[in-house]
């Protein structure tokens, strides 16, 4: 075989391999993309009829339409999802994956599509209103204070009537009911320091009772005012948590093996772990824990499902995080998908999609 023949064979081999590679690439593009998903409301959810929906689902469907690519869902657990991305068993992972340095070393991320972070939710704070104040006024605590004060006034009035009914019949005389009623009135105006002067004891014993009751009345008025204030405000008391700086000294609910748990450990905040977000939030509503620290978007969605146990999600976020789509390392899809992510998130419909699942922030 001459050198020309050998060279010709090499050229034919290269052309064949190039054609084979092009054919394989075209065939690969014709195959539906394998899209891994894991349930994480409100980003990925499954309806009763088996359909998938959520913020990330709507995002991906728009991306796939923009790329004109078919796809098939591959439901996986969270740990299986990360492993499938790293091994290349799926083409892209869709959900609520946080961009971290550790994960970036294992696989690639698209452009981020959602910025979130940790937030704090506390027991529901009732609205201050005239109705809530009236409810406090008819509480048993308030009524018991009023009854106790009335009994004390009656006792002091009865004692004064005993020593004044003969020495001062003009002011405390008459029938027993009239005399006790007059002395009850005197005890009330003396305690409140109103002191109209229409009634006053004249006997030495009566005046001693009056002197003691004047000083005791000052204490009684202060105590009664404090009781009223407590009754009116007890239902409006907040947990005392206004932000992350208020967490030390509290018992905080969270979920194991999450960014929120790591944050609480780093800040040395006492915490209690729960198996899922719902049980953690219910523990706050029941008073078992003082607050919950978790991803803001996930808490906002779950809070909408709690009904009467709905918590108050405090404004603001800390330990900010970015969500993105995950792809195998050096995936050729990274560029096209990132372009589509920007197209969707910069469009007018993106805010509507978020509001549909999270409500207004």
């Amino acid at each position: 075989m001459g050198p020309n023949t050998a060279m010709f064979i090499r050229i034919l081999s290269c052309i064949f391999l190039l054609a084979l590679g092009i054919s394989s690439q075209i065939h690969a593009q014709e195959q539906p993309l394998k899209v891994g998903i894991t349930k994480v409301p409100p980003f990925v959810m499954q309806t009763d009829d088996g359909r998938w929906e959520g913020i990330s689902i709507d995002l991906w469907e728009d991306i796939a339409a923009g790329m004109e690519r078919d796809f098939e869902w591959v439901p996986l657990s969270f740990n299986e999802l990360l492993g499938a991305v790293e091994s290349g068993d799926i083409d892209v992972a869709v959900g609520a994956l946080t961009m971290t340095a550790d994960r970036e070393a294992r696989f690639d991320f698209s452009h981020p599509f959602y910025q979130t972070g940790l937030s704090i939710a506390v027991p529901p704070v009732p609205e201050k209103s005239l109705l809530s104040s009236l409810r406090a006024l008819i509480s048993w605590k308030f009524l018991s204070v009023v009854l106790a004060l009335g009994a004390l006034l009656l006792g002091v009035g009865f004692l004064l009537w005993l020593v004044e009914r003969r020495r001062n019949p003009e002011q405390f005389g008459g029938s027993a009911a009239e005399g006790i009623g007059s002395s009850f009135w005197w005890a009330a105006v003396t305690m409140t320091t109103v002191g109209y002067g229409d009634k006053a004891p004249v006997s030495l014993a009566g005046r001693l009772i009056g002197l003691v009751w004047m000083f005791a009345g000052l204490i009684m008025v202060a105590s009664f005012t404090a009781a009223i204030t407590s009754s009116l405000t007890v239902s409006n008391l907040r947990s005392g948590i206004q932000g992350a700086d208020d967490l030390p000294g509290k018992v905080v609910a969270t979920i194991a093996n999450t960014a929120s748990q790591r944050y609480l450990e780093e800040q040395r905040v006492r915490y209690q772990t729960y198996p899922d977000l719902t049980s953690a939030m219910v523990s706050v509503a029941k008073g078992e824990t003082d607050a919950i620290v978790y991803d803001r978007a996930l808490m906002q969605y779950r809070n909408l499902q709690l009904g009467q146990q709905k918590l108050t999600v405090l404004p603001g976020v800390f330990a900010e995080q970015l969500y993105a789509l995950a792809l195998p390392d050096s995936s050729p899809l990274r560029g096209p998908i990132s372009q589509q992510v920007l197209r969707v998130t910069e469009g007018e419909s993106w805010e509507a999609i978020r509001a549909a699942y999270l409500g207004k922030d």
Side-chain angles (χ1 to χ4, degrees), residues 28 34 62 72 101 108 113 136 142 161 172 177 184 190 204 214 219 234 247 272 289 293 306 338 341 344 350:
K34 294 181 179 179
D62 204 341
E72 58 183 25
D108 288 339
F113 67 87
F142 179 79
W161 173 73
F172 300 102
F184 180 87
T190 301
L204 177 61
M214 289 177 192
I219 300 175
V234 68
L247 293 177
Q272 176 67 46
T289 53
V293 170
L306 292 181
S338 291
V341 169
V344 176
W350 180 238

Side-chain angles (χ1 to χ4, degrees), residues 191-257:
M191 182 195 71
T192 57
T193 68
V194 174
Y196 288 114
D198 56 336
K199 298 184 183 302
V202 296
S203 67
L204 177 61
R207 290 182 176 181
L208 288 175
I209 292 173
L211 183 64
V212 172
W213 182 237
M214 289 177 192
F215 288 103
L218 296 175
I219 300 175
M220 295 303 302
V221 169
S223 300
F224 185 62
T225 302
I228 293 177
T229 303
S230 176
S231 297
L232 291 175
T233 61
V234 68
S235 61
N236 293 326
L237 291 177
R238 303 189 66 162
S239 64
I241 300 176
Q242 305 293 326
D245 293 338
D246 299 320
L247 293 177
K250 307 292 184 180
V251 180
V252 180
T254 191
I255 300 175
N257 303 318

Side-chain angles (χ1 to χ4, degrees), residues 236-306:
N236 293 326
L237 291 177
R238 303 189 66 162
S239 64
I241 300 176
Q242 305 293 326
D245 293 338
D246 299 320
L247 293 177
K250 307 292 184 180
V251 180
V252 180
T254 191
I255 300 175
N257 303 318
T258 59
S260 58
Q261 182 190 17
R262 291 192 294 272
Y263 172 84
L264 295 173
E265 289 177 345
E266 292 172 357
Q267 301 300 316
R268 298 183 179 181
V269 175
R270 183 183 174 190
Y271 65 87
Q272 176 67 46
T273 59
Y274 290 84
D276 55 70
L277 180 56
T278 300
S279 59
M281 296 181 73
V282 169
S283 75
V284 179
K286 291 183 176 180
E288 298 172 1
T289 53
D290 299 311
I292 177 174
V293 170
Y294 202 63
D295 179 275
R296 182 175 185 82
L298 304 185
M299 274 204 304
Q300 282 180 306
Y301 174 78
R302 187 59 62 193
N303 205 32
L304 297 175
Q305 321 299 316
L306 292 181

Side-chain angles (χ1 to χ4, degrees), residues 26-196:
I26 293 174
H27 179 71
Q29 288 186 351
E30 292 175 350
Q31 293 293 320
L33 296 176
K34 294 181 179 179
V35 181
I37 53 176
T38 188
K39 289 183 180 179
V40 51
F43 291 87
V44 178
M45 302 176 290
Q46 190 171 26
T47 62
D48 294 336
D49 58 2
R51 293 183 302 103
W52 292 97
E53 65 177 12
I55 296 175
S56 297
I57 297 296
D58 292 354
L59 170 69
W60 173 254
E61 289 177 345
D62 204 341
I63 290 173
M67 295 173 60
E68 298 182 350
R69 293 295 302 270
D70 294 329
F71 64 91
E72 58 183 25
W73 299 121
V74 183
L76 299 167
S77 68
F78 182 73
N79 291 330
E80 291 174 338
L81 184 69
L82 297 181
V85 175
E86 190 172 8
S87 64
D89 292 338
I90 59 176
D91 296 302
V92 59
V94 173
L97 292 173
T98 304
M99 300 179 70
T100 65
D102 176 64
R103 292 175 181 174
E104 184 65 38
R106 297 164 55 191
F107 41 77
D108 288 339
F109 283 103
S110 70
H111 191 281
F113 67 87
Y114 196 92
Q115 181 175 354
T116 183
L118 301 181
S119 279
I120 303 171
V122 297
V125 180
E127 296 182 0
K128 296 181 180 180
S129 63
L130 178 61
L131 183 60
S132 63
S133 298
L134 290 176
R135 288 199 188 104
L137 284 175
I138 61 175
S139 66
W140 169 245
K141 180 179 179 180
F142 179 79
L143 291 177
S144 63
V145 171
V146 173
L147 291 175
L149 181 60
L152 181 61
L153 289 173
L154 185 61
V156 173
F158 180 75
L159 184 61
L160 183 71
W161 173 73
L162 287 178
V163 300
E164 289 288 319
R165 71 183 190 277
R166 290 190 177 90
R167 295 289 304 275
N168 194 1
E170 295 83 6
Q171 299 183 47
F172 300 102
S175 64
E178 292 174 343
I180 294 175
S182 297
S183 59
F184 180 87
W185 167 257
W186 170 86
V189 297
T190 301
M191 182 195 71
T192 57
T193 68
V194 174
Y196 288 114

